[in-house]
Amino acid sequence: MPLGKKIAFLGTGNMAEALVKGLLRAGTATREEILCSEPRAERRAEIQARYGVETSGDNRALAERADIVVISVKPQTIEHLLVEIAPAIDHRKLVVSIAAGIPILAIARKLGAGVRIVRVMPNTPALVGAGATALARGAHATDADLEQARALFQSVGTTEVVEEPLLDAVTGLSGSGPAFVFLAIEALADGGVKVGLARPVAMALAAQTVLGSAKLVLETGEHPGRLKDQVTSPGGTAIAGVHALEMGGLRAALIAAVEAATRRSRELGEKAAK
């Protein structure tokens, strides 16, 4: 459903471009409703040619015209951006931040009291319309604000709403998780090569197996353990492989990876808050 809002993307990196593409594809916004700011002239020309949206190098000017302001710059440049756009932000605008690790309170301190803020943690599969995004709203954001922010990210995947302190856990799981899955795909493909498959064939089979297995979990609603049991026949090949994985500590390693990534996210957030 169309939002009917002017949306300004301040920063046009990969995630912002994925959102622009998703919004247009889903009909959530029109080309006339999307504004993109970008300091590099060649990137502005690229975005404008590719999507037919208005681009500018002036963050403040676009923020003034927008109903929804999406902060999509790198965390190390956000402070300068917030100072620049602060005069253009008031309680009538919704601010959506995808700057990793930057707390809502830190954004509110720069933009002023009463600003409506939703903080978002997307992940890179959003680039192919298969993202997993978690959203947390600030103290002044309304239910309608949250739904508008969800509509943005539902154009590139699925969304979940959490309390802000849990965004570190989200970062550890779905934010960092693609790296863990890519490693698993690479390892599965290496295994295929080791037992005789050509590299392209092994990679294609490994990636499709992960994709298909995830889709089976989501579409059936079955517990992964139950689906695993359906594959592992008595004395068969799959149970032999599962035993090897258990011997190698796969479960413990993945749990530890999510925990380590969560801990690091928390550390970075505390540093940003200061």
Side-chain angles (χ1 to χ4, degrees):
M1 181 178 293
L3 280 176
K5 303 283 186 179
K6 281 273 189 184
I7 306 166
F9 289 91
L10 307 186
T12 56
N14 288 336
M15 191 60 66
E17 183 176 358
L19 284 166
V20 170
K21 181 180 178 181
L23 290 169
L24 293 174
R25 182 180 58 230
T28 308
T30 65
R31 288 177 173 81
E32 293 73 26
E33 292 170 333
I34 295 175
L35 312 169
C36 293
S37 76
E38 166 62 44
R40 295 172 296 149
E42 65 275 16
R43 178 62 171 166
R44 290 198 300 270
E46 181 182 0
I47 293 294
Q48 190 171 35
R50 190 172 292 167
Y51 302 105
V53 299
E54 181 180 342
T55 62
S56 171
D58 191 332
N59 293 311
R60 179 173 170 178
L62 294 194
E64 286 176 344
R65 294 169 53 199
D67 302 300
I68 301 174
V69 177
V70 181
I71 297 173
S72 47
V73 296
K74 294 185 182 300
Q76 56 266 35
T77 63
I78 191 173
E79 185 172 3
H80 175 76
L81 174 72
L82 294 176
V83 170
E84 181 183 359
I85 68 171
I89 304 297
D90 57 33
H91 68 279
R92 294 170 295 181
K93 298 182 188 293
L94 170 61
V95 176
V96 176
S97 173
I98 61 175
I102 307 298
I104 291 172
L105 183 60
I107 298 171
R109 277 203 297 258
K110 294 293 184 181
L111 296 183
V115 174
R116 297 149 50 202
I117 302 170
V118 175
R119 181 181 163 195
V120 182
M121 182 65 221
N123 66 3
T124 55
L127 300 175
V128 291
T133 299
L135 305 92
R137 65 176 172 181
H140 301 286
T142 65
D143 290 345
D145 292 334
L146 189 59
E147 288 308 307
Q148 288 177 18
R150 289 189 76 173
L152 296 181
F153 290 88
Q154 282 170 344
S155 69
V156 292
T158 63
T159 61
E160 299 288 343
V161 177
V162 301
E163 296 298 320
E164 187 181 17
L166 290 175
L167 283 180
D168 290 318
V170 170
T171 301
L173 177 56
S174 58
S176 305
F180 312 151
V181 176
F182 296 146
L183 195 62
I185 291 172
E186 183 183 32
L188 286 170
D190 284 346
V193 171
K194 185 176 182 182
V195 294
L197 294 174
R199 172 68 64 180
V201 173
M203 188 63 72
L205 289 174
Q208 183 62 34
T209 297
V210 171
L211 174 64
S213 300
K215 190 172 183 180
L216 200 57
V217 170
L218 293 172
E219 294 191 3
T220 65
E222 290 278 9
H223 189 281
R226 184 177 177 85
L227 293 172
K228 178 263 296 177
D229 289 348
Q230 293 173 5
V231 181
T232 51
S233 56
T237 59
I239 194 62
V242 167
H243 180 242
L245 292 174
E246 295 288 10
M247 292 288 287
L250 176 68
R251 293 175 194 249
L254 288 173
I255 292 169
V258 173
E259 188 177 27
T262 299
R263 187 166 53 248
R264 182 56 177 158
S265 175
R266 191 173 294 124
E267 291 169 355
L268 292 173
E270 289 171 355
K271 183 179 179 180
K274 293 177 183 178

